[in-house]
Amino acid sequence: MSEKITISIIKADVGGFVGHGDVHPALTEKARERLAQAKADGLLVDYHIGKVGDDTSLIMTHNKGVDAEPIHKFAWDTFEAMTEAAKKYKQYGAGQDLLSEAFTGTVRGLGPGVAEMDIDERPSEPIVCFLADKTEPGAWNYPLFKMFADPFNTPGLVIDPKMTDGFTFEVHDLIKKRKLLLSCPNDYYAILMFIGAPSRFVIKHVFRNVDNMICASTSTQRLSLIAGRYVGKDDPVMIVRAQSGLPAIGEVLEPFATPYLVAGWMRGSHHGPLMPCSFSEAHPTRFDGPPRVVAYGFQLADGMFIGPRDLFDDPAYDEARRKCNEITNYIRLMGPFEPHRLGLEEMEYTTMPQLMEKFEDMFEPSED
Ligand code: F6R
Ligand code: MG
Ligand code: MG
């Protein structure tokens, strides 16, 4: 029996405990109360609260489709209720991701991140919800490409007949606000030209070529592009479906064995390695980091979340974490120098323009 269901993750940082490292239980409790009520009222089929660092994800199933106003409004109101608690306990940056005074029909463009997909639930529906802190949406480009296009990561692309036609990637240009569909293996080289520039080009959705089934969805909101200034990091989320003609869970997790470099660490202004960690270790401290990713594994059962399993809670990822620390020790030695610090274009969204302005009049023509 297949049933139409929508999976929505709507996330925000509405106050950090302590600084930008964790979420105070009072905020999580507020979210839990509201989610339980929404389920009792029939707005939601089911829910789970996800956390990484100072970000809370409302992981929800419902029958209202993607971009549904009642769901987005519920999430917005929940973040506002959490903000009240954050203010009461003087949490750091209370309400920081709520960039608008009021809800305007969708949370898109208002600050929170959103990843959603409508699915026909398969007879068995394993999904992974990835949540990251201290980074930006382009951080998902590398693992999504590895999962759905690289046979060295995903032997299923060679072995499973449902996968050999490949996958299509919907790539969004965040600067020009336009999108492009690129199909692998045909566009294997071209796509890398785009997604290799993750600050601008991000993978929003992945579809299976043989039947156009949706396989992955990410949050692509960039706070600095919405606000025009630095207001905390986007800290993106993504939903990935797995198994049975899709990458196996192990193929979905495999890209994270390499602690690849992402942007967004310390003041949103540094590159650093992405550390896959268990729920209990998802609280960045060193230099406000390093950036973290957690993986919530669920089996869906008629829209109910069976789980989660804490998928990076596995000694097989110890080596990635160790390597992360090694890279951290090395890259920190560069202090304020690029490429540890982000390039000038990205620094435009920090206090860099003010600094430039301050020194503008002191510049003199040079001879070279
Ligand atoms: C937040 C982050 C942190 C802050 C830093 C300074 O996402 O990455 O590194 O940018 O702690 O925060 P402020 O400027 O609020 O003191
Ligand atoms: Mg924060
Ligand atoms: Mg955060």
Side-chain angles (χ1 to χ4, degrees):
M1 182 199 73
S2 93
E3 192 202 341
K4 273 263 177 229
I5 196 94
T6 306
I7 312 168
S8 297
I9 307 182
I10 307 188
K11 56 82 44 184
D13 169 359
V14 288
F17 173 58
V18 171
H20 289 277
D22 200 351
V23 182
H24 190 278
L27 277 66
T28 313
E29 197 40 47
K30 203 36 104 185
R32 197 179 311 283
E33 276 166 27
R34 285 189 46 87
L35 286 158
Q37 190 60 51
K39 184 175 169 181
D41 293 345
L43 178 70
L44 302 179
V45 172
D46 200 14
Y47 65 88
H48 191 83
I49 300 175
K51 286 200 330 179
V52 61
D54 53 7
D55 294 274
T56 303
S57 282
L58 312 178
I59 305 174
M60 303 174 282
T61 45
H62 54 91
N63 304 117
K64 312 230 173 296
V66 302
D67 258 334
E69 180 164 348
I71 299 297
H72 282 222
K73 177 158 176 35
F74 165 76
W76 179 265
D77 292 345
T78 300
F79 292 134
E80 285 204 320
M82 292 169 69
T83 299
E84 285 306 303
K87 284 183 176 157
K88 181 173 166 197
Y89 293 106
K90 297 216 172 187
Q91 295 299 284
Y92 194 70
Q96 75 158 45
D97 283 2
L98 307 186
L99 302 179
S100 164
E101 289 289 306
F103 179 71
T104 54
T106 168
V107 296
R108 282 189 296 106
L110 305 187
V114 192
E116 297 184 292
M117 58 165 81
D118 289 331
I119 63 164
D120 288 312
E121 192 182 292
R122 295 173 293 163
S124 180
E125 185 68 64
I127 63 164
V128 184
C129 298
F130 290 95
L131 320 177
D133 190 34
K134 309 294 178 249
T135 187
E136 55 186 32
W140 302 134
N141 286 1
Y142 173 90
L144 280 173
F145 180 81
K146 300 277 279 184
M147 286 173 217
F148 289 99
D150 179 5
F152 284 78
N153 179 90
T154 302
L157 292 163
V158 179
I159 295 168
D160 187 330
K162 274 191 173 159
M163 295 172 71
T164 47
D165 278 358
F167 292 84
T168 290
F169 295 78
E170 184 184 313
V171 177
H172 285 208
D173 174 348
L174 298 184
I175 303 295
K176 293 207 167 171
K177 290 195 179 291
R178 53 187 185 164
K179 59 188 179 185
L180 179 66
L181 288 173
L182 292 165
S183 173
C184 284
N186 273 3
D187 299 321
Y188 192 88
Y189 298 148
I191 190 176
L192 288 168
M193 181 59 98
F194 293 102
I195 65 170
S199 62
R200 173 164 173 185
F201 294 100
V202 300
I203 299 169
K204 177 74 185 169
H205 297 123
V206 180
F207 303 95
R208 182 166 66 181
N209 285 343
V210 75
D211 55 4
N212 214 30
M213 188 176 95
I214 188 159
C215 313
S217 178
T218 71
S219 66
T220 46
Q221 290 71 27
R222 283 203 55 193
L223 287 163
S224 58
L225 297 179
I226 295 170
R229 64 189 159 86
Y230 176 66
V231 279
K233 219 46 210 171
D234 322 306
D235 303 336
V237 294
M238 86 170 155
I239 308 162
V240 180
R241 302 169 80 182
Q243 303 287 159
S244 194
L246 295 179
I249 287 290
E251 291 166 334
V252 167
L253 300 176
E254 179 64 8
F256 298 93
T258 301
Y260 59 100
L261 295 175
V262 297
W265 189 5
M266 182 50 88
R267 297 176 186 278
S269 306
H270 293 79
H271 286 112
L274 186 65
M275 182 183 274
C277 55
S278 68
F279 302 162
S280 64
E281 290 178 337
H283 314 299
T285 51
R286 181 174 179 188
F287 199 55
D288 285 357
R292 309 283 158 129
V293 57
V294 291
Y296 285 70
F298 299 101
Q299 291 288 152
L300 283 188
D302 301 321
M304 301 295 287
F305 289 108
I306 308 303
R309 263 197 58 218
D310 182 353
L311 297 172
F312 289 137
D313 182 13
D314 179 350
Y317 281 88
D318 284 351
E319 187 58 17
R321 293 186 270 266
R322 197 199 56 75
K323 202 162 187 178
C324 241
N325 285 328
E326 190 182 311
I327 296 166
T328 291
N329 284 338
Y330 167 71
I331 206 166
R332 282 297 305 121
L333 294 175
M334 295 202 62
F337 283 79
E338 297 177 14
H340 183 23
R341 199 190 71 185
L342 303 191
L344 276 185
E345 207 176 309
E346 286 298 302
M347 295 298 285
E348 280 300 307
Y349 297 101
T350 66
T351 49
M352 180 62 117
Q354 284 155 256
L355 200 71
M356 282 292 194
E357 210 177 302
K358 184 171 163 196
F359 288 95
E360 193 57 42
D361 294 343
M362 291 167 66
F363 275 108
E364 290 175 26
S366 63
E367 18 316 303
D368 32 36

